[in-house]
mmCIF file of all heavy atoms in Angstrom:
data_model
loop_
_atom_site.group_PDB
_atom_site.id
_atom_site.type_symbol
_atom_site.label_atom_id
_atom_site.label_comp_id
_atom_site.label_asym_id
_atom_site.label_seq_id
_atom_site.Cartn_x
_atom_site.Cartn_y
_atom_site.Cartn_z
ATOM 1 N N ALA G 309 17.271 -8.304 12.319
ATOM 2 C CA ALA G 309 16.215 -7.530 12.115
ATOM 3 C C ALA G 309 16.623 -6.204 11.401
ATOM 4 O O ALA G 309 16.019 -5.729 10.542
ATOM 5 C CB ALA G 309 15.489 -7.220 13.300
ATOM 6 N N ALA G 310 17.743 -5.597 12.034
ATOM 7 C CA ALA G 310 18.172 -4.318 11.502
ATOM 8 C C ALA G 310 18.595 -4.508 10.113
ATOM 9 O O ALA G 310 18.460 -3.566 9.223
ATOM 10 C CB ALA G 310 19.226 -3.770 12.335
ATOM 11 N N GLU G 311 19.351 -5.608 9.728
ATOM 12 C CA GLU G 311 19.938 -5.746 8.395
ATOM 13 C C GLU G 311 18.813 -5.984 7.398
ATOM 14 O O GLU G 311 18.763 -5.464 6.204
ATOM 15 C CB GLU G 311 20.849 -6.927 8.376
ATOM 16 C CG GLU G 311 22.211 -6.656 9.108
ATOM 17 C CD GLU G 311 23.056 -7.976 9.413
ATOM 18 O OE1 GLU G 311 22.435 -9.006 9.486
ATOM 19 O OE2 GLU G 311 24.224 -7.780 9.599
ATOM 20 N N ASN G 312 17.623 -6.783 7.867
ATOM 21 C CA ASN G 312 16.559 -6.984 6.984
ATOM 22 C C ASN G 312 15.848 -5.581 6.672
ATOM 23 O O ASN G 312 15.478 -5.294 5.529
ATOM 24 C CB ASN G 312 15.609 -7.841 7.576
ATOM 25 C CG ASN G 312 15.772 -9.301 7.198
ATOM 26 O OD1 ASN G 312 15.460 -9.750 6.038
ATOM 27 N ND2 ASN G 312 16.297 -10.194 8.124
ATOM 28 N N ALA G 313 15.743 -4.722 7.698
ATOM 29 C CA ALA G 313 15.100 -3.535 7.455
ATOM 30 C C ALA G 313 15.900 -2.519 6.700
ATOM 31 O O ALA G 313 15.273 -1.629 5.971
ATOM 32 C CB ALA G 313 14.755 -2.996 8.962
ATOM 33 N N ALA G 314 17.102 -2.789 6.629
ATOM 34 C CA ALA G 314 18.119 -1.874 5.860
ATOM 35 C C ALA G 314 18.113 -2.077 4.437
ATOM 36 O O ALA G 314 18.780 -1.462 3.665
ATOM 37 C CB ALA G 314 19.479 -1.971 6.465
ATOM 38 N N VAL G 315 17.646 -3.281 3.996
ATOM 39 C CA VAL G 315 17.754 -3.699 2.513
ATOM 40 C C VAL G 315 17.430 -2.741 1.574
ATOM 41 O O VAL G 315 18.211 -2.446 0.699
ATOM 42 C CB VAL G 315 17.016 -5.196 2.398
ATOM 43 C CG1 VAL G 315 16.825 -5.368 0.859
ATOM 44 C CG2 VAL G 315 17.709 -6.217 3.128
ATOM 45 N N PRO G 316 16.209 -2.065 1.687
ATOM 46 C CA PRO G 316 15.961 -1.073 0.666
ATOM 47 C C PRO G 316 16.967 0.104 0.438
ATOM 48 O O PRO G 316 17.195 0.589 -0.753
ATOM 49 C CB PRO G 316 14.505 -0.530 0.980
ATOM 50 C CG PRO G 316 13.966 -1.512 1.875
ATOM 51 C CD PRO G 316 15.190 -2.219 2.556
ATOM 52 N N LEU G 317 17.516 0.318 1.589
ATOM 53 C CA LEU G 317 18.587 1.539 1.594
ATOM 54 C C LEU G 317 19.883 1.037 0.867
ATOM 55 O O LEU G 317 20.508 1.730 0.203
ATOM 56 C CB LEU G 317 18.792 2.025 2.914
ATOM 57 C CG LEU G 317 17.615 2.556 3.664
ATOM 58 C CD1 LEU G 317 17.986 3.094 5.116
ATOM 59 C CD2 LEU G 317 17.151 3.800 2.916
ATOM 60 N N VAL G 318 20.222 -0.225 1.203
ATOM 61 C CA VAL G 318 21.454 -0.904 0.569
ATOM 62 C C VAL G 318 21.240 -0.892 -0.844
ATOM 63 O O VAL G 318 22.245 -0.542 -1.681
ATOM 64 C CB VAL G 318 21.697 -2.183 1.218
ATOM 65 C CG1 VAL G 318 22.805 -2.837 0.412
ATOM 66 C CG2 VAL G 318 22.078 -2.032 2.634
ATOM 67 N N ILE G 319 20.030 -1.243 -1.326
ATOM 68 C CA ILE G 319 19.826 -1.417 -2.873
ATOM 69 C C ILE G 319 19.896 -0.003 -3.379
ATOM 70 O O ILE G 319 20.310 0.177 -4.574
ATOM 71 C CB ILE G 319 18.397 -2.117 -2.957
ATOM 72 C CG1 ILE G 319 18.430 -3.525 -2.706
ATOM 73 C CG2 ILE G 319 18.017 -1.872 -4.420
ATOM 74 C CD1 ILE G 319 17.171 -4.204 -2.674
ATOM 75 N N ALA G 320 19.450 1.077 -2.658
ATOM 76 C CA ALA G 320 19.441 2.358 -3.203
ATOM 77 C C ALA G 320 20.944 2.982 -3.024
ATOM 78 O O ALA G 320 21.075 4.165 -3.570
ATOM 79 C CB ALA G 320 18.620 3.258 -2.301
ATOM 80 N N GLY G 321 21.833 2.348 -2.599
ATOM 81 C CA GLY G 321 23.180 2.724 -2.616
ATOM 82 C C GLY G 321 23.842 3.264 -1.405
ATOM 83 O O GLY G 321 24.911 3.725 -1.303
ATOM 84 N N TRP G 322 23.016 3.201 -0.274
ATOM 85 C CA TRP G 322 23.588 3.663 0.956
ATOM 86 C C TRP G 322 24.755 2.655 1.431
ATOM 87 O O TRP G 322 24.667 1.458 1.044
ATOM 88 C CB TRP G 322 22.501 3.624 2.014
ATOM 89 C CG TRP G 322 21.584 4.661 1.898
ATOM 90 C CD1 TRP G 322 20.894 5.109 0.740
ATOM 91 C CD2 TRP G 322 20.942 5.440 3.019
ATOM 92 N NE1 TRP G 322 19.929 6.112 1.049
ATOM 93 C CE2 TRP G 322 19.885 6.218 2.413
ATOM 94 C CE3 TRP G 322 21.033 5.395 4.355
ATOM 95 C CZ2 TRP G 322 19.230 7.139 3.326
ATOM 96 C CZ3 TRP G 322 20.297 6.227 5.157
ATOM 97 C CH2 TRP G 322 19.369 7.054 4.524
ATOM 98 N N SER G 323 25.656 3.195 2.293
ATOM 99 C CA SER G 323 26.650 2.225 2.838
ATOM 100 C C SER G 323 25.853 1.408 3.847
ATOM 101 O O SER G 323 24.878 1.826 4.414
ATOM 102 C CB SER G 323 27.845 3.026 3.476
ATOM 103 O OG SER G 323 27.295 3.722 4.766
ATOM 104 N N ARG G 324 26.376 0.243 4.007
ATOM 105 C CA ARG G 324 25.839 -0.710 5.044
ATOM 106 C C ARG G 324 25.672 -0.167 6.387
ATOM 107 O O ARG G 324 24.727 -0.338 7.027
ATOM 108 C CB ARG G 324 26.588 -2.097 5.109
ATOM 109 C CG ARG G 324 26.100 -3.095 5.975
ATOM 110 C CD ARG G 324 26.991 -4.325 6.214
ATOM 111 N NE ARG G 324 26.357 -5.243 7.149
ATOM 112 C CZ ARG G 324 26.369 -5.160 8.396
ATOM 113 N NH1 ARG G 324 26.975 -4.012 8.900
ATOM 114 N NH2 ARG G 324 25.856 -5.964 9.206
ATOM 115 N N LYS G 325 26.611 0.597 6.868
ATOM 116 C CA LYS G 325 26.794 1.134 8.197
ATOM 117 C C LYS G 325 25.676 2.212 8.352
ATOM 118 O O LYS G 325 24.892 2.171 9.361
ATOM 119 C CB LYS G 325 28.138 1.729 8.477
ATOM 120 C CG LYS G 325 28.196 2.366 9.842
ATOM 121 C CD LYS G 325 29.642 2.879 10.150
ATOM 122 C CE LYS G 325 29.752 3.514 11.552
ATOM 123 N NZ LYS G 325 31.219 4.003 11.802
ATOM 124 N N ARG G 326 25.574 2.940 7.409
ATOM 125 C CA ARG G 326 24.563 4.140 7.440
ATOM 126 C C ARG G 326 23.153 3.498 7.325
ATOM 127 O O ARG G 326 22.335 3.973 7.998
ATOM 128 C CB ARG G 326 24.848 5.087 6.358
ATOM 129 C CG ARG G 326 23.960 6.285 6.425
ATOM 130 C CD ARG G 326 24.232 7.247 5.217
ATOM 131 N NE ARG G 326 23.254 8.210 5.025
ATOM 132 C CZ ARG G 326 22.953 8.728 3.833
ATOM 133 N NH1 ARG G 326 23.498 8.332 2.763
ATOM 134 N NH2 ARG G 326 22.017 9.605 3.817
ATOM 135 N N ALA G 327 23.028 2.422 6.319
ATOM 136 C CA ALA G 327 21.717 1.864 6.217
ATOM 137 C C ALA G 327 21.219 1.202 7.519
ATOM 138 O O ALA G 327 19.997 1.321 7.798
ATOM 139 C CB ALA G 327 21.828 0.946 5.095
ATOM 140 N N VAL G 328 22.056 0.450 8.110
ATOM 141 C CA VAL G 328 21.746 -0.342 9.372
ATOM 142 C C VAL G 328 21.342 0.636 10.545
ATOM 143 O O VAL G 328 20.485 0.426 11.294
ATOM 144 C CB VAL G 328 22.757 -1.301 9.747
ATOM 145 C CG1 VAL G 328 22.546 -1.848 11.142
ATOM 146 C CG2 VAL G 328 22.821 -2.349 8.659
ATOM 147 N N ALA G 329 22.204 1.866 10.570
ATOM 148 C CA ALA G 329 21.838 2.780 11.615
ATOM 149 C C ALA G 329 20.408 3.359 11.399
ATOM 150 O O ALA G 329 19.682 3.532 12.355
ATOM 151 C CB ALA G 329 22.864 3.717 11.562
ATOM 152 N N ARG G 330 20.057 3.713 10.235
ATOM 153 C CA ARG G 330 18.747 4.293 9.826
ATOM 154 C C ARG G 330 17.756 3.232 10.180
ATOM 155 O O ARG G 330 16.662 3.480 10.660
ATOM 156 C CB ARG G 330 18.719 4.719 8.380
ATOM 157 C CG ARG G 330 17.455 5.058 7.873
ATOM 158 C CD ARG G 330 16.698 6.227 8.612
ATOM 159 N NE ARG G 330 15.335 6.506 8.224
ATOM 160 C CZ ARG G 330 14.359 6.957 8.944
ATOM 161 N NH1 ARG G 330 14.545 7.183 10.267
ATOM 162 N NH2 ARG G 330 13.204 7.150 8.433
ATOM 163 N N ALA G 331 18.006 1.936 9.780
ATOM 164 C CA ALA G 331 17.053 0.784 10.002
ATOM 165 C C ALA G 331 16.737 0.733 11.556
ATOM 166 O O ALA G 331 15.735 0.346 11.891
ATOM 167 C CB ALA G 331 17.614 -0.500 9.460
ATOM 168 N N ARG G 332 17.748 0.758 12.426
ATOM 169 C CA ARG G 332 17.564 0.703 13.783
ATOM 170 C C ARG G 332 16.687 1.775 14.284
ATOM 171 O O ARG G 332 15.823 1.581 15.164
ATOM 172 C CB ARG G 332 18.955 0.751 14.578
ATOM 173 C CG ARG G 332 19.861 -0.436 14.371
ATOM 174 C CD ARG G 332 20.931 -0.490 15.314
ATOM 175 N NE ARG G 332 21.857 -1.561 15.270
ATOM 176 C CZ ARG G 332 23.036 -1.357 14.741
ATOM 177 N NH1 ARG G 332 23.434 -0.243 14.272
ATOM 178 N NH2 ARG G 332 23.943 -2.452 14.514
ATOM 179 N N GLU G 333 16.785 3.010 13.705
ATOM 180 C CA GLU G 333 15.831 4.076 14.112
ATOM 181 C C GLU G 333 14.448 3.754 13.722
ATOM 182 O O GLU G 333 13.507 3.930 14.505
ATOM 183 C CB GLU G 333 16.240 5.397 13.510
ATOM 184 C CG GLU G 333 17.683 5.918 13.832
ATOM 185 C CD GLU G 333 18.023 7.101 13.061
ATOM 186 O OE1 GLU G 333 17.145 7.552 12.069
ATOM 187 O OE2 GLU G 333 19.141 7.670 13.327
ATOM 188 N N MET G 334 14.270 3.194 12.651
ATOM 189 C CA MET G 334 12.895 2.711 12.133
ATOM 190 C C MET G 334 12.391 1.621 13.041
ATOM 191 O O MET G 334 11.138 1.620 13.332
ATOM 192 C CB MET G 334 12.855 2.332 10.669
ATOM 193 C CG MET G 334 11.541 2.152 10.051
ATOM 194 S SD MET G 334 10.345 3.392 10.318
ATOM 195 C CE MET G 334 11.128 4.660 9.163
ATOM 196 N N LEU G 335 13.325 0.711 13.414
ATOM 197 C CA LEU G 335 12.750 -0.392 14.272
ATOM 198 C C LEU G 335 12.314 0.199 15.604
ATOM 199 O O LEU G 335 11.359 -0.282 16.127
ATOM 200 C CB LEU G 335 13.982 -1.458 14.539
ATOM 201 C CG LEU G 335 14.183 -2.296 13.239
ATOM 202 C CD1 LEU G 335 15.408 -3.169 13.562
ATOM 203 C CD2 LEU G 335 13.021 -3.098 12.767
ATOM 204 N N GLU G 336 12.950 1.156 16.123
ATOM 205 C CA GLU G 336 12.485 1.876 17.329
ATOM 206 C C GLU G 336 11.120 2.484 17.044
ATOM 207 O O GLU G 336 10.281 2.448 18.047
ATOM 208 C CB GLU G 336 13.485 2.908 17.716
ATOM 209 C CG GLU G 336 14.871 2.446 18.248
ATOM 210 C CD GLU G 336 14.670 1.954 19.727
ATOM 211 O OE1 GLU G 336 13.699 2.135 20.296
ATOM 212 O OE2 GLU G 336 15.761 1.281 20.081
ATOM 213 N N SER G 337 10.944 3.054 15.985
ATOM 214 C CA SER G 337 9.552 3.824 15.862
ATOM 215 C C SER G 337 8.507 2.771 15.741
ATOM 216 O O SER G 337 7.265 3.245 15.972
ATOM 217 C CB SER G 337 9.659 4.593 14.474
ATOM 218 O OG SER G 337 9.582 3.834 13.322
ATOM 219 N N VAL G 338 8.583 1.491 15.373
ATOM 220 C CA VAL G 338 7.708 0.478 15.274
ATOM 221 C C VAL G 338 7.590 -0.373 16.518
ATOM 222 O O VAL G 338 7.120 -1.404 16.517
ATOM 223 C CB VAL G 338 7.743 -0.311 13.950
ATOM 224 C CG1 VAL G 338 7.505 0.530 12.770
ATOM 225 C CG2 VAL G 338 8.990 -1.106 13.918
ATOM 226 N N GLY G 339 8.456 0.117 17.527
ATOM 227 C CA GLY G 339 8.401 -0.653 18.823
ATOM 228 C C GLY G 339 9.312 -1.956 18.963
ATOM 229 O O GLY G 339 8.880 -2.791 19.795
ATOM 230 N N ILE G 340 10.296 -2.129 18.126
ATOM 231 C CA ILE G 340 10.945 -3.357 18.128
ATOM 232 C C ILE G 340 12.460 -3.186 18.110
ATOM 233 O O ILE G 340 13.295 -3.862 17.767
ATOM 234 C CB ILE G 340 10.542 -4.282 17.021
ATOM 235 C CG1 ILE G 340 10.981 -5.693 17.311
ATOM 236 C CG2 ILE G 340 10.998 -3.831 15.598
ATOM 237 C CD1 ILE G 340 10.529 -6.837 16.334
ATOM 238 N N GLY G 341 12.856 -1.922 18.543
ATOM 239 C CA GLY G 341 14.283 -1.548 18.581
ATOM 240 C C GLY G 341 15.200 -2.485 19.379
ATOM 241 O O GLY G 341 16.275 -2.684 19.065
ATOM 242 N N HIS G 342 14.525 -2.978 20.496
ATOM 243 C CA HIS G 342 15.257 -3.852 21.345
ATOM 244 C C HIS G 342 15.637 -5.271 20.779
ATOM 245 O O HIS G 342 16.418 -6.045 21.295
ATOM 246 C CB HIS G 342 14.462 -4.030 22.622
ATOM 247 C CG HIS G 342 13.187 -4.818 22.472
ATOM 248 N ND1 HIS G 342 12.175 -4.202 21.726
ATOM 249 C CD2 HIS G 342 12.848 -6.040 22.902
ATOM 250 C CE1 HIS G 342 11.202 -4.962 21.773
ATOM 251 N NE2 HIS G 342 11.424 -6.206 22.405
ATOM 252 N N ARG G 343 15.038 -5.489 19.610
ATOM 253 C CA ARG G 343 15.298 -6.847 18.920
ATOM 254 C C ARG G 343 16.120 -6.698 17.646
ATOM 255 O O ARG G 343 16.000 -7.495 16.709
ATOM 256 C CB ARG G 343 14.088 -7.534 18.708
ATOM 257 C CG ARG G 343 13.091 -7.757 19.845
ATOM 258 C CD ARG G 343 13.826 -8.887 20.738
ATOM 259 N NE ARG G 343 13.486 -10.263 20.218
ATOM 260 C CZ ARG G 343 14.234 -11.213 20.477
ATOM 261 N NH1 ARG G 343 15.283 -11.095 21.288
ATOM 262 N NH2 ARG G 343 14.000 -12.536 20.023
ATOM 263 N N ALA G 344 16.741 -5.585 17.398
ATOM 264 C CA ALA G 344 17.587 -5.162 16.181
ATOM 265 C C ALA G 344 18.462 -6.268 15.796
ATOM 266 O O ALA G 344 18.736 -6.419 14.649
ATOM 267 C CB ALA G 344 18.196 -3.825 16.342
ATOM 268 N N HIS G 345 19.099 -6.914 16.801
ATOM 269 C CA HIS G 345 20.067 -7.886 16.569
ATOM 270 C C HIS G 345 19.722 -9.283 16.304
ATOM 271 O O HIS G 345 20.457 -10.208 16.227
ATOM 272 C CB HIS G 345 21.267 -7.897 17.634
ATOM 273 C CG HIS G 345 21.926 -6.550 17.730
ATOM 274 N ND1 HIS G 345 22.818 -6.096 16.725
ATOM 275 C CD2 HIS G 345 21.868 -5.507 18.660
ATOM 276 C CE1 HIS G 345 23.293 -4.917 17.071
ATOM 277 N NE2 HIS G 345 22.743 -4.547 18.137
ATOM 278 N N ALA G 346 18.337 -9.527 16.549
ATOM 279 C CA ALA G 346 17.925 -10.927 16.456
ATOM 280 C C ALA G 346 17.470 -11.231 14.958
ATOM 281 O O ALA G 346 17.202 -10.453 14.159
ATOM 282 C CB ALA G 346 16.536 -10.969 17.179
ATOM 283 N N VAL G 347 17.797 -12.564 14.645
ATOM 284 C CA VAL G 347 17.342 -13.018 13.342
ATOM 285 C C VAL G 347 15.975 -13.538 13.366
ATOM 286 O O VAL G 347 15.349 -13.737 14.427
ATOM 287 C CB VAL G 347 18.372 -14.255 12.931
ATOM 288 C CG1 VAL G 347 19.828 -13.712 12.783
ATOM 289 C CG2 VAL G 347 18.120 -15.349 13.968
ATOM 290 N N PRO G 348 15.354 -13.684 12.184
ATOM 291 C CA PRO G 348 13.908 -13.896 12.062
ATOM 292 C C PRO G 348 13.349 -15.125 12.960
ATOM 293 O O PRO G 348 12.388 -15.059 13.534
ATOM 294 C CB PRO G 348 13.665 -14.176 10.626
ATOM 295 C CG PRO G 348 14.649 -13.275 9.897
ATOM 296 C CD PRO G 348 15.841 -13.333 10.794
ATOM 297 N N ALA G 349 14.233 -16.132 12.943
ATOM 298 C CA ALA G 349 13.789 -17.340 13.676
ATOM 299 C C ALA G 349 13.733 -17.042 15.129
ATOM 300 O O ALA G 349 13.030 -17.936 15.855
ATOM 301 C CB ALA G 349 14.924 -18.475 13.385
ATOM 302 N N GLN G 350 14.223 -16.019 15.678
ATOM 303 C CA GLN G 350 14.228 -15.692 17.090
ATOM 304 C C GLN G 350 13.057 -14.693 17.308
ATOM 305 O O GLN G 350 12.963 -14.329 18.488
ATOM 306 C CB GLN G 350 15.518 -15.130 17.492
ATOM 307 C CG GLN G 350 16.731 -15.942 17.372
ATOM 308 C CD GLN G 350 18.166 -15.289 17.514
ATOM 309 O OE1 GLN G 350 18.192 -14.176 17.236
ATOM 310 N NE2 GLN G 350 18.988 -16.016 18.211
#
Side-chain angles (χ1 to χ4, degrees):
E311 290 167 340
N312 265 288
V315 165
L317 298 179
V318 174
I319 292 174
W322 288 40
S323 70
R324 180 185 178 282
K325 181 178 180 180
R326 183 177 170 220
V328 170
R330 169 60 182 151
R332 289 197 185 103
E333 294 175 1
M334 184 56 66
L335 290 173
E336 287 286 351
S337 74
V338 298
I340 197 174
H342 63 294
R343 301 291 281 159
H345 296 289
V347 296
Q350 298 171 323

